Amino acid sequence: MIVPCYNEEESVELFYTELMKNDSFFHGENIELELLYVDDGSGDRTAEEVKKLIKKDNRVHLVSFSRNFGKEAAMYAGLENVKGDYVVLMDVDLQDPPSLLPEMISCMKQGYDSVATRRVSRKGEPPIRSFFARIFYRLMKKISKTEMMDGARDYRLMTRQMVDAILSMQEYNRFTKGIFGWVGFRTKWLEYENIERAKGETKWSFWKLLVYSIEGITAFSTVPLLLASVLGVLFCLLAFVMILFVIIRKLIFGDPVSGWASQVCIMLLIGGVQFFCTGILGQYLAKTYMEVKKRPIYLVKEKI
Ligand code: UDP
Ligand code: MG
């Protein structure tokens, strides 16, 4: 079980207590548990709280980063550092209910490679956040071949085979929601109502989410790059029509000078579109640049 934590000192123990409510179930199913907390460079006492648990229970483990690398890096580190035949990813804030685990495990027995979860409501979330999230998923459906489910959580149970497939994707710009879809495998979806955070605050600001969504688009679609070509062709056609129009008007009315205002509008529009397209190119170039550097996805400070 992999639990990424960033400044979650209040949640670490609470999560453990809640998870251990399933302990008799784990025993009954002969499941040997390995609980790995990934401390994503927390500035608070998260690591200390985990160490307290390690003293009590030798099934608990810790990987601490040298700084905050983000949840994607934390999940990747988790996947690299667990040994289990089955792996679960879970948030520490109890928004991913551990009470769902028995159902997930029983689904796995029906022959699925993965059991994923999605929230069917976004109750308790700021409406504008939900609005943009919906737009994001709708857009992705149109521009990407990779399947991404609206409301999908990272809360997921997987076989070792699927974990190895995910680990084989060594890209630096990681967008796990897309990676899960990309690797395929038979996935069963469980649905539940949104649950609000038990303690602490969300680590995702609107801005962080926006940047993350651009990451998702560039990582799993190249359609925006096509946009520049399409717009280029459209504007060429438009320009051709305009040229004909201007020549004919000159021949009939003999007035080539008027139309200053319309010309400024056209120049501004085309200038805008050009910057927009260059921007898109820039996004892909920046991602390629980061990939080419081959920097490590995370750095470990401590491992217990
Ligand atoms: N998290 C992390 N690194 C980060 C941000 C978040 O490991 O840079 C962890 C966080 O501790 C939590 C999970 O990712 O366990 C989900 O974060 P959060 O609850 O803040 O996101 P939300 O549920 O609001 O989308
Ligand atoms: Mg949360």
Side-chain angles (χ1 to χ4, degrees), residues 91 93 95 153 197:
D91 286 0
D93 58 4
Q95 280 191 298
R153 307 271 315 161
R197 220 172 210 288

Side-chain angles (χ1 to χ4, degrees), residues 2-6 8 38-41 65 67-79 89-93 95-96 152-156 174-177 180 197 202-204 208-209 212 215 297-298:
I2 300 165
V3 191
C5 311
Y6 178 47
E8 303 275 12
V38 183
D39 166 25
D40 184 7
F65 287 177
R67 65 165 169 86
N68 180 239
F69 280 88
K71 189 187 175 188
E72 288 292 339
M75 289 192 289
Y76 184 77
L79 293 175
L89 281 165
M90 238 169 152
D91 286 0
V92 75
D93 58 4
Q95 280 191 298
D96 300 334
R153 307 271 315 161
D154 294 325
Y155 185 20
R156 188 184 273 261
R174 300 190 75 76
F175 188 71
T176 304
K177 287 182 200 331
F180 287 144
R197 220 172 210 288
T202 174
K203 308 295 176 298
W204 295 88
K208 250 178 136 178
L209 278 171
Y212 187 55
E215 199 117 296
I297 295 168
Y298 63 91

Side-chain angles (χ1 to χ4, degrees), residues 12-29:
V12 168
E13 204 191 332
L14 207 64
F15 173 84
Y16 177 82
T17 316
E18 199 60 33
L19 179 68
M20 284 309 147
K21 289 186 183 160
N22 289 304
D23 210 18
S24 55
F25 168 78
F26 295 146
H27 273 298
E29 294 279 321

Side-chain angles (χ1 to χ4, degrees), residues 65-197:
F65 287 177
S66 61
R67 65 165 169 86
N68 180 239
F69 280 88
K71 189 187 175 188
E72 288 292 339
M75 289 192 289
Y76 184 77
L79 293 175
E80 267 196 331
N81 284 284
V82 290
K83 297 176 197 75
D85 297 326
Y86 295 90
V87 176
V88 190
L89 281 165
M90 238 169 152
D91 286 0
V92 75
D93 58 4
L94 294 174
Q95 280 191 298
D96 300 334
S99 54
L100 221 58
L101 283 167
E103 195 184 341
M104 290 169 91
I105 289 164
S106 81
C107 287
M108 285 300 258
K109 285 186 182 151
Q110 294 162 22
Y112 287 99
D113 300 301
S114 172
V115 181
T117 58
R118 61 185 285 257
R119 1 175 231 189
V120 280
S121 72
R122 288 177 172 271
K123 167 173 64 104
E125 200 185 57
I128 135 153
R129 221 167 120 165
S130 312
F131 173 72
F132 279 104
R134 291 239 160 76
I135 291 187
F136 172 76
Y137 284 107
R138 227 175 279 165
L139 182 73
M140 282 312 263
K141 216 169 237 156
K142 294 219 166 72
I143 65 172
S144 174
K145 285 192 195 118
T146 305
E147 192 201 1
M148 263 168 251
M149 196 69 100
D150 187 0
R153 307 271 315 161
D154 294 325
Y155 185 20
R156 188 184 273 261
L157 174 62
M158 294 170 278
T159 58
R160 169 53 51 185
Q161 191 188 23
M162 182 162 172
V163 171
D164 288 341
I166 292 168
L167 286 174
S168 74
M169 296 176 76
Q170 301 250 317
E171 57 213 73
Y172 180 81
N173 297 289
R174 300 190 75 76
F175 188 71
T176 304
K177 287 182 200 331
I179 290 177
F180 287 144
W182 195 91
V183 295
F185 295 102
R186 272 189 75 202
T187 301
K188 162 102 183 168
W189 287 91
L190 297 182
E191 296 179 346
Y192 65 92
E193 295 279 323
N194 189 33
I195 301 165
E196 288 188 47
R197 220 172 210 288

